[in-house]
Amino acid sequence: MSVQTKNAAAPTSQTKQTVYGILFAMSGSHLLNDSIQSVVPAMNPIFEQSLNLSFAQIGWIAFVLNMTASVMQPVFGYIADKRATPFLLPAGMFMSMIGLIGFALSPNFYVILLSVFFIGIGSAVFHPEGSRVAYMAAGNKRGLAQSIYQVGGNFGQSLAPVFTAFIFVPLGQRGALAFTIVTITGIILLLYVSRWYKGQIQEGRFSLKSRATAVQNAAPIHRKIKMAMGLLVFLVFARSFYVAGINNFYQFYLIQDYGLTVRHAQLYVFIFMFAGVLGTFFGGPLADRFGRRNMIFLSMAGAAPLTAILPFVPLALVIPIFFIIGFVILSSFSVAVVYAQELMPQKVGMVSGLIVGLAFGMGAVGAVLLGILADLYSIRFVMILCGLLPFVGVLTWLLPNDEKVRELTRPRT
């Protein structure tokens, strides 16, 4: 095996130690970045009342956010695979700050969409490079490293109901201006990470040039790898479709069918999302021990029976069932990223953007579709439909197991 091929197969193999300081810095910045994103769904009940938006318009807001934050991720990841760009991280946070200010001052639906576009682009810049830094700092603990990194983002997303209940209900739309402090903090933290990232490249610990040369000399990607990647994207899409339905519309279901107030409904959504934070954190280490494919299967097929019955249970059972669903279904969040990176180790940035980004973009398409269906039929119909999505998790057994992945991606001598 040539030195170049070996480097392509394991770009961080020169640094076996796990750099926890960088991982926690990235987790913190991920929390701040996704907190900004969570401001958008947190404002949905406010806009629905103050601007008389329809469910379809709320779906379009989610669509613009997720499509810009998602579809562009593989593009930025592909560019970063070709050329190291450490300072894209703080630049992305700056873009989010511009969008956030516009969002807080938006007078109508169309200015909201433009502002959300900037927030989405900032997030699209951030995520592929963030996953790359986590990969670089992981050492031999890739599952744990991705969990540490991703748990920050999921926790930031889980704060949307809290923002609604305690900031936007009393302060209204302009309360979003307070989050400029969050973006400034994130820029400062990411400047520190970017300097470490640049230093790793200068010291030759992570050479994109040698990796690019090795990729050119490597064998073509195996057909089974391509099929596995396609199926993985589909599975993540189904999971994202379900989560998009919960994040954007379940609060309205609680208000209409159970008679809860806007503030009270946020508590239930927060419990789901916070449980997802815990699931994300524990999923990575469990996958390191029991296998990536096994965790992906259990996270979807295990949650499916509960998601199916959720729309029919009495209010007293919603919280415990909701907590279990959130924990189980999001336990594969970081695992899917690591599985994709191990399928295509020469294209870490691109596949990270593909899994975290493009699949979530497809979830955004789902948000629009669900909004239209809610207007045509009812929120209850949408929640019943969403509950059936995790059953596609049984298709996980068509993915190659971890040992087969290592066999398929093993460099040829």
Side-chain angles (χ1 to χ4, degrees):
M1 181 190 304
S2 70
V3 173
Q4 288 180 335
T5 305
K6 185 177 181 180
N7 288 342
T12 58
S13 62
Q14 296 160 323
T15 306
K16 293 293 186 182
Q17 290 186 337
T18 304
V19 189
Y20 287 102
I22 293 299
L23 289 176
F24 286 121
M26 282 308 305
S27 182
S29 60
H30 200 181
L31 185 155
L32 298 177
N33 179 85
D34 285 24
S35 293
I36 300 305
Q37 277 189 262
S38 70
V39 168
V40 178
M43 286 293 294
N44 284 344
I46 307 302
F47 285 138
E48 191 261 345
Q49 295 178 2
S50 63
L51 298 180
N52 296 316
L53 299 185
S54 67
F55 289 126
Q57 287 176 311
I58 290 173
W60 278 111
I61 291 172
F63 176 83
V64 171
L65 174 67
N66 286 0
M67 286 299 282
T68 52
S70 305
V71 173
M72 293 303 296
Q73 281 196 40
V75 176
F76 286 113
Y78 177 81
I79 294 171
D81 281 334
K82 298 291 185 181
R83 179 184 178 87
T85 50
F87 290 95
L88 266 182
L89 289 166
M93 189 69 73
F94 180 76
M95 291 287 290
S96 294
M97 183 171 69
I98 293 174
L100 183 66
I101 294 171
F103 187 71
L105 303 176
S106 298
N108 57 55
F109 173 66
Y110 298 102
V111 179
I112 290 172
L113 292 182
L114 179 62
S115 301
V116 167
F117 173 83
F118 277 95
I119 294 174
I121 289 294
S123 184
V125 171
F126 171 84
H127 279 100
E129 285 295 83
S131 291
R132 183 194 305 282
V133 171
Y135 188 85
M136 291 168 63
N140 291 324
K141 299 180 180 179
R142 291 181 184 170
L144 175 63
Q146 277 296 326
S147 287
I148 292 173
Y149 168 63
Q150 298 291 355
V151 77
N154 280 17
F155 186 66
Q157 292 177 17
S158 76
L159 295 176
V162 177
F163 296 156
T164 302
F166 296 104
I167 298 178
F168 299 129
V169 168
L171 298 180
Q173 180 180 347
R174 302 253 171 142
L177 287 173
F179 289 86
T180 55
I181 299 173
V182 174
T183 57
I184 293 171
T185 303
I187 290 170
I188 294 171
L189 188 59
L190 288 171
L191 285 171
Y192 161 73
V193 173
S194 295
R195 284 194 292 268
W196 177 86
Y197 182 177
K198 184 178 180 181
Q200 294 296 296
I201 295 170
Q202 290 176 339
E203 293 173 12
R205 294 178 182 271
F206 193 85
S207 174
L208 292 178
K209 184 176 181 181
S210 64
R211 288 176 61 215
T213 303
V215 169
Q216 291 176 358
N217 295 333
I221 297 173
H222 197 286
R223 180 178 60 88
K224 290 183 179 180
I225 293 293
K226 295 179 181 179
M227 293 175 61
M229 184 63 68
L231 177 56
L232 182 64
V233 169
F234 173 75
L235 291 168
V236 175
F237 155 64
R239 186 191 65 200
S240 301
F241 200 112
Y242 179 78
V243 174
I246 296 298
N247 289 351
N248 290 286
F249 298 107
Y250 192 72
Q251 56 192 316
F252 297 109
Y253 176 68
L254 290 168
I255 293 167
Q256 292 185 10
D257 280 51
Y258 291 98
L260 300 186
T261 64
V262 171
R263 178 172 288 185
H264 195 190
Q266 305 311 307
L267 171 64
Y268 289 78
V269 180
F270 174 73
I271 287 172
F272 169 82
M273 299 180 76
F274 182 73
V277 172
L278 298 178
T280 297
F281 180 77
F282 287 105
L286 287 172
D288 283 340
R289 181 167 183 177
F290 299 109
R292 322 282 189 221
R293 188 190 69 170
N294 294 342
M295 280 301 301
I296 295 171
F297 172 78
L298 290 173
S299 75
M300 296 189 68
L306 294 178
T307 62
I309 67 171
L310 179 66
F312 306 101
V313 300
L315 184 62
L317 294 180
V318 169
I319 286 181
I321 291 176
F322 222 21
F323 182 90
I324 296 172
I325 291 173
F327 183 92
V328 174
I329 203 166
L330 287 171
S331 64
S332 64
F333 190 92
S334 61
V335 179
V337 177
V338 176
Y339 186 85
Q341 290 174 343
E342 293 182 349
L343 280 173
M344 301 180 69
Q346 303 94 339
K347 300 180 182 294
V348 173
M350 188 186 75
V351 298
S352 298
L354 187 67
I355 295 302
V356 181
L358 184 57
F360 272 99
M362 297 307 293
V365 174
V368 174
L369 177 60
L370 292 175
I372 294 172
L373 291 175
D375 284 334
L376 290 175
Y377 299 101
S378 68
I379 287 291
R380 183 176 179 82
F381 172 81
V382 166
M383 290 299 103
I384 293 172
L385 178 64
C386 285
L388 301 177
L389 290 169
F391 282 97
V392 304
V394 297
L395 297 176
T396 303
W397 286 114
L398 298 176
L399 292 172
N401 61 29
D402 296 21
E403 183 178 350
K404 184 65 175 179
V405 169
R406 286 190 289 271
E407 177 185 328
L408 291 171
T409 58
R410 187 175 296 125
R412 299 177 183 177
T413 56

